[in-house]
Amino acid sequence: MKYTEEEITAFFHALDQSRFMEQYKEEAGLDVPFPIGHGQTISQPSLVLEMTLHLDLQSDSRVLEVGTGSGFQTALLAKFSEEVFTVERIGALHERAKDRLKAKGFSNIHFHYGDGHLGWEEHAPYDRIMVTAAAREVPPSLIRQLAPMGKMVIPIGDASNQELRLVEKDEAGVIHTSFIEHVRFVKLKKEKE
C-alpha cells in the first residue's frame, strides 16, 4: 500500500517535535534546525517532511536510516514502513533515541551503533535509504545495499555547498540521480573521524 502525501503530512503535524529535544523545547514549533548535542542537529521540520515524501514509502518498505540523531525522522519513517533499520555513530544519541522511540511504542525499529558510511549490510537490501548527514559522494556500500527499484535521499557536498539528491536504482541495477534542492547538513563522518 502506498501512503498519500496527506496521510504522511497529517502524522508529521501530530508528531510533537519537542519530545525529541533535550533543550529549546519551547521553540519546537519553529521551522529551523536545533542542536541536539555532540555537534549534531535535528533538521528543520519542513525538510524532514520533504525528504520523507521523496522516499515514496510503502507499507511493506524496509528502510535504512543513516543518522538516527534525535529519532524524530526515525519515528516518521517507522509510521509509514514495515521496518526501519537505523544507524547512529554517537553512542549517547543512539541510546537516547532508542529509549525514546521504544517508550513511544514503536516495535518495528532496529537500532545499530556504528559507522553510517557502511550502512547495515546484515539486513540489506533496503527498499528505501534515508541519509541525514552530508557525504562527499554517495557511499558505495549504500548503493550496494539499495534494492532494485529502491530510492535513497541523501545530501551530497562539503560544508559550503550541498545538494539534496534522490538516488534511484532501476530493475537492472543502474543508478539514476536527480537534484532536489540546495541544503546544509552536518557532515557524515566515518567512525575514525
Side-chain angles (χ1 to χ4, degrees):
M1 178 182 107
K2 180 178 175 174
Y3 293 103
T4 66
E5 182 174 334
E6 290 74 23
E7 287 174 304
I8 295 172
T9 301
F11 178 76
F12 167 80
H13 286 300
L15 195 58
D16 184 354
Q17 185 188 22
S18 71
R19 295 181 179 268
F20 295 85
M21 299 165 67
E22 302 299 313
Q23 47 188 337
Y24 307 106
K25 287 178 178 280
E26 65 285 348
E27 298 172 35
L30 300 177
D31 192 30
V32 296
F34 289 103
I36 57 171
H38 310 279
Q40 305 301 298
T41 59
I42 183 171
S43 297
Q44 70 186 75
S46 60
L47 186 55
V48 169
L49 176 60
E50 180 182 1
M51 291 172 69
T52 303
L53 291 172
H54 277 290
L55 276 187
D56 192 27
L57 294 169
Q58 318 281 317
S59 58
D60 62 351
S61 293
R62 296 176 76 254
V63 181
L64 171 66
E65 178 189 40
V66 176
T68 315
S70 70
F72 182 62
Q73 176 85 71
T74 319
L76 192 56
L77 296 172
K79 174 68 175 177
F80 297 102
S81 57
E82 185 173 322
E83 288 183 285
V84 174
F85 299 83
T86 186
V87 181
E88 175 56 58
R89 69 174 190 85
I90 298 171
L93 294 180
H94 165 77
E95 291 299 331
R96 199 176 298 148
K98 182 168 32 170
D99 291 346
R100 185 179 282 142
L101 290 162
K102 286 188 174 180
K104 290 188 177 308
F106 287 102
S107 58
N108 63 335
I109 304 172
H110 309 277
F111 299 87
H112 180 61
Y113 172 54
D115 185 344
H117 276 93
L118 304 176
W120 197 349
E121 188 78 47
E122 180 184 347
H123 299 286
Y126 301 99
D127 305 302
R128 304 290 186 264
I129 299 178
M130 172 71 77
V131 184
T132 62
R136 287 203 168 272
E137 58 185 27
V138 182
S141 55
L142 299 185
I143 293 285
R144 281 194 309 274
Q145 292 173 40
L146 186 63
M149 303 306 291
K151 297 183 180 189
M152 178 188 331
V153 172
I154 182 170
I156 297 294
D158 56 30
S160 61
N161 185 24
Q162 297 174 10
E163 295 181 350
L164 188 62
R165 295 185 190 167
L166 176 63
V167 178
E168 299 176 90
K169 184 184 279 190
D170 68 19
E171 285 185 70
V174 177
I175 297 298
H176 306 271
T177 304
S178 53
F179 168 82
I180 298 173
E181 66 179 280
H182 290 283
V183 291
R184 184 174 295 256
F185 278 81
V186 296
K187 180 181 176 185
L188 179 62
K189 293 183 179 178
K190 295 184 180 173
E191 193 109 60
K192 294 179 176 60
E193 288 184 88

